[in-house]
């Protein structure tokens, strides 16, 4: 059975969502953040040196990084679900969104959140605008990122967009807002939250 190591208020919801969507049995081990530093406890670093979440364990194998976990689970256990076939027209787009989520989008959103010096603000603002507008336009007239079908790409993009919406006025990016609402009301996402708790980005702790 898969074990999901969940650091509270992390990126774990999307992996729990994936496990629920694949109808896979899994167990959850929850970890609280340090109340001052907000970092992971030593117990999580004992499982993986980075002390990041999500982590999964499958047998003796521990895997970090949401994108790697997503690809591992879909390759080993997906049976063709939640991703297009490698010879399909959608496969390249699928790969792009899976890796773009943490490779480019989240970086641009984080530097906007963390602030910047006066000299770097123009660059940071421009990068934030570039990425959020690219995503907004990519979702136009689409149910999910690849069209009508949910995929692992949507699961990977869910957390960056939930985060991004805390940084902008409501109503500015309607396609992203619709996507996030769709994510948070998806039946399997709701089951995931029942297992590991709600994500509370933008809410004071």
């Amino acid at each position: 059975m898969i074990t999901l190591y969940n650091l509270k208020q992390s990126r774990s919801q999307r992996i729990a969502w994936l496990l629920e969507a694949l109808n896979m049995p899994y167990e959850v081990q929850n970890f609280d953040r340090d109340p001052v530093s907000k970092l992971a406890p030593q117990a999580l670093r004992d499982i993986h040196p980075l002390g990041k979440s999500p982590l999964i364990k499958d047998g003796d194998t521990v895997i970090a990084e949401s994108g790697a976990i997503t690809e591992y689970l879909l390759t080993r256990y997906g049976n063709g679900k939640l991703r297009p076939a490698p010879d399909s027209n959608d496969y390249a787009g699928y790969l792009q969104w899976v890796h773009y989520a943490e490779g480019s989008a989240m970086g641009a959103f984080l530097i906007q959140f963390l602030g910047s010096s006066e000299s770097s603000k123009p660059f940071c603002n421009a990068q934030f605008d570039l990425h959020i507008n690219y995503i907004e336009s990519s979702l136009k007239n689409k149910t999910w990122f690849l069209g009508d079908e949910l995929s692992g790409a949507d699961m990977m993009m869910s957390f960056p967009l939930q985060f991004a919406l805390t940084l902008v006025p409501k109503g500015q990016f309607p396609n992203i807002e619709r996507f996030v609402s769709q994510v948070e009301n998806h039946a399997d996402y709701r089951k995931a939250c029942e297992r590991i708790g709600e994500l509370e980005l933008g809410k004071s702790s």
Side-chain angles (χ1 to χ4, degrees), residues 97-127:
W97 290 117
V98 165
H99 294 279
Y100 171 82
E102 294 291 336
S104 293
M106 198 62 201
F109 300 158
L110 273 174
I111 61 173
Q112 189 78 357
F113 170 72
L114 294 172
S116 53
S117 66
E118 287 302 318
S119 62
S120 62
K121 270 186 180 179
F123 173 81
C124 295
N125 291 341
Q127 287 300 301

Side-chain angles (χ1 to χ4, degrees), residues 161-176:
L161 296 184
Q162 288 169 308
F163 180 72
L165 287 183
T166 69
L167 307 177
V168 297
K170 188 174 182 179
Q172 188 170 352
F173 297 98
N175 294 328
I176 293 174

Side-chain angles (χ1 to χ4, degrees), residues 106-181:
M106 198 62 201
F109 300 158
L110 273 174
I111 61 173
Q112 189 78 357
F113 170 72
L114 294 172
S116 53
S117 66
E118 287 302 318
S119 62
S120 62
K121 270 186 180 179
F123 173 81
C124 295
N125 291 341
Q127 287 300 301
F128 181 83
D129 291 344
L130 172 68
H131 287 284
I132 200 164
N133 282 296
Y134 168 62
I135 297 166
E136 174 72 10
S137 64
S138 296
L139 285 169
K140 185 177 181 181
N141 299 323
K142 288 183 180 177
T143 304
W144 301 103
F145 273 93
L146 300 183
D148 293 333
E149 298 294 326
L150 175 70
S151 76
D154 302 294
M155 294 169 174
M156 281 299 300
M157 287 297 296
S158 62
F159 181 88
L161 296 184
Q162 288 169 308
F163 180 72
L165 287 183
T166 69
L167 307 177
V168 297
K170 188 174 182 179
Q172 188 170 352
F173 297 98
N175 294 328
I176 293 174
E177 288 184 11
R178 176 197 52 75
F179 173 83
V180 167
S181 176

Side-chain angles (χ1 to χ4, degrees), residues 17-202:
W17 181 19
L18 174 58
L19 289 164
E20 293 288 350
L22 292 175
N23 199 29
M24 291 183 63
Y26 65 103
E27 62 179 11
V28 178
Q29 291 191 21
N30 290 311
F31 297 84
D32 291 315
R33 294 179 181 274
D34 181 277
V36 176
S37 70
K38 305 301 182 185
L39 297 176
Q42 183 61 46
L44 189 56
R45 292 196 292 273
D46 289 343
I47 298 166
H48 190 281
L50 291 178
K52 301 293 185 182
S53 178
L55 296 171
I56 65 164
K57 186 174 183 180
D58 184 15
D60 295 326
T61 302
V62 175
I63 307 171
E65 295 294 330
S66 296
I69 294 169
T70 297
E71 288 289 83
Y72 175 86
L73 291 173
L74 289 178
T75 298
R76 180 157 289 196
Y77 301 111
N79 295 316
K81 296 179 181 177
L82 296 171
R83 72 175 183 184
D87 60 353
S88 77
N89 291 334
D90 287 331
Y91 188 67
Y94 165 82
L95 285 179
Q96 175 197 283
W97 290 117
V98 165
H99 294 279
Y100 171 82
E102 294 291 336
S104 293
M106 198 62 201
F109 300 158
L110 273 174
I111 61 173
Q112 189 78 357
F113 170 72
L114 294 172
S116 53
S117 66
E118 287 302 318
S119 62
S120 62
K121 270 186 180 179
F123 173 81
C124 295
N125 291 341
Q127 287 300 301
F128 181 83
D129 291 344
L130 172 68
H131 287 284
I132 200 164
N133 282 296
Y134 168 62
I135 297 166
E136 174 72 10
S137 64
S138 296
L139 285 169
K140 185 177 181 181
N141 299 323
K142 288 183 180 177
T143 304
W144 301 103
F145 273 93
L146 300 183
D148 293 333
E149 298 294 326
L150 175 70
S151 76
D154 302 294
M155 294 169 174
M156 281 299 300
M157 287 297 296
S158 62
F159 181 88
L161 296 184
Q162 288 169 308
F163 180 72
L165 287 183
T166 69
L167 307 177
V168 297
K170 188 174 182 179
Q172 188 170 352
F173 297 98
N175 294 328
I176 293 174
E177 288 184 11
R178 176 197 52 75
F179 173 83
V180 167
S181 176
Q182 191 170 269
V183 165
E184 293 178 346
N185 287 288
H186 190 275
D188 290 324
Y189 184 89
R190 299 308 321 147
K191 292 177 185 176
C193 289
E194 289 173 8
R195 293 288 303 273
I196 66 173
E198 297 283 352
L199 191 62
E200 297 181 344
L201 294 171

